[in-house]
Amino acid sequence: MRLECKAVSRTWCLAIAVALCLSAATSRVGKTNEPETSNDRAGASEPTPDSVERIGILGRYRIGQWTAVDVRGFNDGTDGSPAIAKIETVDGDQAPVVFQQPVDASTGLMVPGREAAPLLIRDPQGSSDAWRLPPAGAPNKEPAMIPEGMPWVLVFGDSLGIESIGANELLNRESAIAVTAIRDARSLPDRSLGLMGVDLIVVTSSGQSVLRDLTQTQRTALHRWLIGGGTVLTCLGQDSEEILTAADWLAKALPRTVSLAGTVKLDPAGFESFTNSQTRLPPLEGIELPKTTGRQAVGETLIAGRTTRRVSASLAARYSAGLGEVRIIAADLESAGFADWPERLDLVRRVVGGVLKDDRNEPDGNSRQSGYSDLAGQVRRTLDQFDLKRAVSFSIVALVIGALITLVAPLDYYLVQRVLGRPLLGWMTFPFVAILISVALIVAAQPRRITSDQGSAVADELARLNSMEFLDLDMATGFGRLFRWGFLYSHPSRQVNVSARPTEMLDRITKELRYRLVAPFGFPGRSMGGIQIETSVSPSTVAMRRQSPDAGAAMLSDIESLSLAPRSSKSLAVTMQLQHQLQAPPMRMRPGTELLQGSLSNPLPTDLLDGMLIYRNWVYLLPTRFPAGGVIQDIDTLRQKNFRWQLSRQRALESSSEGEVWDVTTRDQPRRLAEVLMFHDAAGGSRYTTLQHHVLGNLDFSDLLNGDRCVLVGRVTDRWTQFSLDGSTDVLKGNSLSMVRVVLPVRPIGFIPTPRD
């Protein structure tokens, strides 16, 4: 009995010691997770409303997106020259990160890693200010984090009641749309990256004063945001000329026939019929939108009507602007006739389309089966798989734990206590067994193969990079953008400097670089399936700089001192914007149909593999290899299919059709996943994938499949960008997929081109 008590006592002592060690480690991790100076530190002042509104746009921001921070208060050096501002926060892995700004920056940039993340701004003179980012709340009433599923609307003028969508006072339910009204031009970022999280910009008559006060850099940022994939809604009534003069960045993106159009008296019956309204509207004066049919047709009519002289007219129309679009309502919705019209908000919602969609009643994704509710989670799971790392199933881990328990408990008791009769030997056999099993696990955790055992070559061989990259090029405006998401894996623990450079192939088509930034990407939560954990690593630095001393030069960034734990990976993203120098003739539309005709050329300097030409809901399947500079003389010779059927792998049977069910747990089909990422809504949206598409929603080109644009899409064998570690030029091994999408204008036969500004 005495021996058994001693054994039990020894077991409890070991358990208590392990618990104390784990508790100490956990508390230590919690202390090093955030920047040294935060609101948790004694003496840190609470943020004032003015300081909070310096974050994002009037205190509104999205996690995982580039966010602007006004650092002008920290940019005054002791000698009167600008000083480098450093913004300290945490990334998506809750590791500390420092965003170092260039010396001429008045607007800093950072990527929030989570809601209410700590934030500290400091300059070389020692001045600093510390607070936390605003938490999630009511963004229409106060500074707050905007969830990824909530549309964000920026308003110049009247919000037209958009902030009331989804709100219900009886149910105490807040609005489903985040509306931010710009009343002061100084609250708007002067970089397009600071507008990345905005879904829609509304421009009305009462916003002219703010629009006129915008600086030239702010106007340029708005223009680049628009042609980079943004959506603008504007109401052009009797003062349309004044609005377009104040918003010259908007007029620049419109066809010249629209920006120079005059006004005309319109019959409001078209608005009444469009909204099924029983309330009459008085005659109104609005912009005379050009015709959308004929040889000089531009845009697409959304609401057809007529003037008071019984002449056909467009009451609302949509116009392409690079990768974005502008929707125009030919009326002043702030006028006395529209202000009290019951169907005004319904008119706005139907003209804008799915941008103002309330997703709260939509299915929340198949997170129970997969662990994530967004397509970005499936991409994350696909990329975070490495052949270098040995996969160990849960059953093996359970067997190891069971063997350890068996060795240190029953066997130890019977061998030491009963057979040898020396209970003190248990203090030697227990660590011996623990060390033996640890050595066995370390040996089993070695990489699958090591091709070299010399110095730095070993480090390079023990690193992998899996990634997806998407290059989008617009032939009408010369605009280009690139997004690459990769996971960097390291087998041993190491600290590296990471940089991303364009390859020679991308340099050949680039005319002007706007920015090229690499930074940690992702955030914890249900969308991406990430778990918020505490980490104790040294801070990494996202060092941003100008390409040249010129203040307007391209912004570049590298990551310095990035810590990688043993057998771990880090999520990184490259965001790039450029002006390309490729040229391609517009495609021709067959009159009276939704089909194209004529020839198709490959404007890229590389072969296009498994290419498709997509127009509306039709896809033309290109040859397996479409050579660089190659020409298909007649696209009628290509096989045509329904594009939605192509995405869902649907096939026709004798009396029905059968499609391929989307598997949310699949992680070995990156090309299939990339197709759905690029055209999620065209495939059926969440009804098909059972997943949302908010985190990487800007990759979805479904809205571009309209009458005046078609998309040439395919993959390339070479990479558009190249990651390098510690300045090395060696190519990191791993699985990478490079896609390209070329947006071509579509014109009717005999089209007479109209120059833009």
Side-chain angles (χ1 to χ4, degrees):
M1 190 68 174
R2 183 174 57 86
L3 295 179
E4 293 180 358
C5 292
K6 287 185 178 181
V8 173
S9 175
R10 185 174 68 250
T11 304
W12 275 105
C13 290
L14 291 174
I16 293 173
V18 171
L20 290 175
C21 293
L22 291 175
S23 176
T26 303
S27 63
R28 175 58 184 166
V29 169
K31 292 180 181 179
T32 58
N33 173 52
E34 300 179 353
E36 180 181 356
T37 304
S38 69
N39 283 339
D40 295 334
R41 183 173 61 92
S45 59
E46 291 294 328
T48 63
D50 292 339
S51 63
V52 171
E53 290 188 352
R54 294 169 57 182
I55 302 170
I57 304 177
L58 294 176
R60 283 74 172 176
Y61 69 98
R62 291 190 191 273
I63 58 174
Q65 297 276 14
W66 283 97
T67 302
V69 179
D70 186 358
V71 296
R72 283 174 292 187
F74 302 91
N75 262 14
D76 299 326
T78 54
D79 57 351
S81 61
I84 299 177
K86 295 182 179 180
I87 303 176
E88 302 180 21
T89 182
V90 294
D91 61 17
D93 295 326
Q94 309 311 296
V97 58
V98 179
F99 292 86
Q100 181 174 294
Q101 312 298 315
V103 294
D104 60 345
S106 60
T107 300
L109 292 172
M110 49 88 70
V111 181
R114 62 173 169 86
E115 172 194 356
L119 185 68
L120 185 145
I121 303 177
R122 68 169 78 243
D123 62 20
Q125 283 71 38
S127 301
S128 62
D129 197 4
W131 61 82
R132 285 185 177 273
L133 296 175
N140 290 335
K141 300 177 181 179
E142 59 187 0
M145 185 272 291
I146 300 177
E148 65 270 10
M150 175 180 285
W152 187 7
V153 181
L154 210 62
V155 176
F156 292 94
D158 193 337
S159 62
L160 306 176
I162 297 176
E163 71 279 359
S164 64
I165 297 177
N168 191 309
E169 293 184 2
L170 295 178
L171 299 177
N172 195 23
R173 186 170 61 182
E174 297 290 342
S175 172
I177 311 296
V179 178
T180 305
I182 304 298
R183 307 301 182 193
D184 188 346
R186 292 174 295 180
S187 60
L188 192 72
D190 58 1
R191 299 184 185 178
S192 58
L193 279 169
L195 301 168
M196 283 186 65
V198 177
D199 298 298
L200 174 68
I201 291 181
V202 177
V203 177
T204 63
S205 178
S206 59
Q208 295 181 49
S209 58
V210 179
L211 291 170
R212 284 192 291 265
D213 293 340
L214 296 177
T215 64
Q216 186 57 46
T217 54
Q218 289 173 321
R219 298 168 190 265
T220 302
L222 287 168
H223 177 73
R224 292 178 179 175
W225 171 86
L226 172 58
I227 65 175
T231 302
V232 172
L233 170 67
T234 181
C235 304
L236 301 180
Q238 63 273 11
D239 53 355
S240 60
E241 182 178 354
E242 291 79 4
I243 295 176
L244 291 178
T245 301
D248 54 350
W249 56 271
L250 176 59
K252 184 179 179 181
L254 291 170
R256 190 174 180 83
T257 53
V258 177
S259 59
L260 298 180
T263 59
V264 65
K265 285 286 186 180
L266 298 172
D267 184 350
F271 290 125
E272 298 165 3
S273 301
F274 185 71
T275 58
N276 297 321
S277 176
Q278 302 299 319
T279 306
R280 298 285 296 176
L281 286 169
L284 53 95
E285 184 176 358
I287 187 173
E288 186 178 7
L289 297 174
K291 295 181 178 181
T292 58
T293 58
R295 292 188 176 183
Q296 293 184 332
V298 290
E300 177 183 356
T301 298
L302 300 177
I303 303 177
R306 58 186 179 182
T307 67
T308 55
R309 301 177 59 185
R310 306 296 183 182
V311 179
S312 61
S314 294
L315 302 183
R318 181 204 55 79
Y319 298 95
S320 301
L323 302 180
E325 62 180 17
V326 180
R327 295 177 181 250
I328 299 177
I329 298 178
D332 184 3
L333 298 189
E334 297 179 89
S335 62
F338 273 101
D340 299 327
W341 190 45
E343 280 72 34
R344 186 180 73 162
L345 181 57
D346 185 46
L347 171 65
V348 172
R349 294 186 65 174
R350 297 183 65 178
V351 169
V352 172
V355 179
L356 298 180
K357 182 180 179 182
D358 184 357
D359 287 339
R360 289 184 298 189
N361 295 326
E362 293 291 324
D364 195 24
N366 206 342
S367 57
R368 291 186 178 180
Q369 180 180 357
S370 59
Y372 41 80
S373 61
D374 195 280
L375 271 174
Q378 192 163 4
V379 178
R380 176 180 182 173
R381 181 174 182 176
T382 300
L383 296 179
D384 202 10
Q385 307 291 327
F386 301 92
D387 55 1
L388 186 69
K389 182 171 57 176
R390 294 182 183 272
V392 180
S393 63
F394 177 76
S395 59
I396 300 299
V397 176
L399 288 176
V400 172
I401 295 175
L404 178 61
I405 295 175
T406 302
L407 288 174
V408 300
L411 291 183
D412 177 75
Y413 173 76
Y414 282 105
L415 179 64
V416 176
Q417 305 286 352
R418 295 294 179 88
V419 178
L420 300 180
R422 296 184 178 181
L424 292 179
L425 288 178
W427 296 100
M428 299 178 60
T429 57
F430 174 77
F432 175 76
V433 171
I435 294 174
L436 182 64
I437 293 181
S438 299
V439 171
L441 293 177
I442 292 174
V443 173
Q446 292 301 308
R448 291 183 181 275
R449 54 180 180 275
I450 299 179
T451 58
S452 175
D453 43 346
Q454 299 248 347
S456 61
V458 173
D460 293 339
E461 283 295 329
L462 297 183
R464 292 290 187 273
L465 177 70
N466 294 342
S467 66
M468 281 187 185
E469 63 178 343
F470 303 87
L471 177 65
D472 302 321
L473 305 172
D474 179 59
M475 291 294 110
T477 60
F479 177 85
R481 70 178 190 184
L482 181 139
F483 176 78
R484 181 173 183 177
W485 186 11
F487 277 79
L488 176 63
Y489 171 81
S490 175
H491 201 74
S493 174
R494 58 192 303 194
Q495 195 173 67
V496 295
N497 299 325
V498 182
S499 61
R501 298 288 185 270
T503 59
E504 181 182 357
M505 182 174 60
L506 184 58
D507 280 333
R508 290 170 57 186
I509 68 176
T510 301
K511 181 180 180 181
E512 177 189 358
L513 179 64
R514 303 280 171 74
Y515 57 77
R516 185 183 70 244
L517 301 176
V518 55
F521 179 73
F523 50 87
R526 183 169 48 189
S527 296
M528 301 181 68
I531 302 175
Q532 184 169 319
I533 58 175
E534 304 290 341
T535 57
S536 59
V537 296
S538 58
S540 58
T541 301
V542 179
M544 290 181 277
R545 66 188 188 281
R546 297 284 185 184
Q547 192 176 26
S548 67
D550 185 8
M555 185 75 70
L556 311 176
S557 79
D558 297 325
I559 302 180
E560 300 175 355
S561 304
L562 179 65
S563 298
L564 296 172
R567 283 82 168 166
S568 68
S569 60
K570 188 72 174 180
S571 173
L572 306 173
V574 179
T575 306
M576 186 183 302
Q577 191 179 105
L578 54 92
Q579 193 76 12
H580 68 83
Q581 55 188 359
L582 299 179
Q583 295 182 355
M587 299 299 297
R588 297 301 178 183
M589 178 181 60
R590 186 179 302 174
T593 67
E594 293 187 353
L595 300 177
L596 301 174
Q597 69 178 30
S599 61
L600 172 67
S601 60
N602 180 8
L604 300 170
T606 182
D607 295 350
L608 195 65
L609 306 179
D610 303 320
M612 298 182 293
L613 179 65
I614 309 162
Y615 180 61
R616 291 188 181 271
N617 196 36
W618 292 98
V619 56
Y620 298 82
L621 302 179
L622 304 181
T624 303
R625 180 179 292 273
F626 192 13
V631 178
I632 298 176
Q633 296 298 334
D634 189 358
I635 62 174
D636 284 337
T637 60
L638 301 176
R639 187 159 61 99
Q640 304 172 21
K641 291 187 64 176
N642 181 289
F643 184 47
R644 185 167 182 174
W645 283 32
Q646 172 71 14
L647 289 173
S648 60
R649 302 295 191 264
Q650 197 166 355
R651 57 181 181 176
L653 303 177
E654 293 183 358
S655 58
S656 62
S657 61
E658 182 183 46
E660 180 180 312
V661 178
W662 182 261
D663 185 2
V664 297
T665 62
T666 299
R667 60 185 183 183
D668 56 354
Q669 298 182 15
R671 288 174 52 188
R672 175 97 168 95
L673 181 57
E675 286 183 2
V676 177
L677 275 174
M678 295 186 293
F679 301 99
H680 182 249
D681 287 347
S686 58
R687 295 184 302 275
Y688 175 63
T689 61
T690 70
L691 297 173
Q692 300 294 335
H693 191 22
H694 297 310
V695 179
L696 302 177
N698 61 335
L699 295 178
D700 192 354
F701 268 19
S702 299
D703 291 339
L704 268 65
L705 304 180
N706 47 53
D708 54 6
R709 285 181 289 192
C710 63
V711 182
L712 176 64
V713 58
R715 63 182 180 91
V716 296
T717 54
D718 297 328
R719 306 289 174 259
W720 298 110
T721 55
Q722 179 60 52
F723 278 94
S724 61
L725 303 182
D726 298 326
S728 173
T729 59
D730 296 337
V731 177
L732 290 173
K733 295 181 180 179
N735 300 320
S736 296
L737 178 66
S738 297
M739 305 295 297
V740 60
R741 292 181 289 187
V742 181
V743 181
L744 299 168
V746 177
R747 300 290 182 257
I749 300 297
F751 173 77
I752 301 176
T754 301
R756 293 178 180 262
D757 289 340

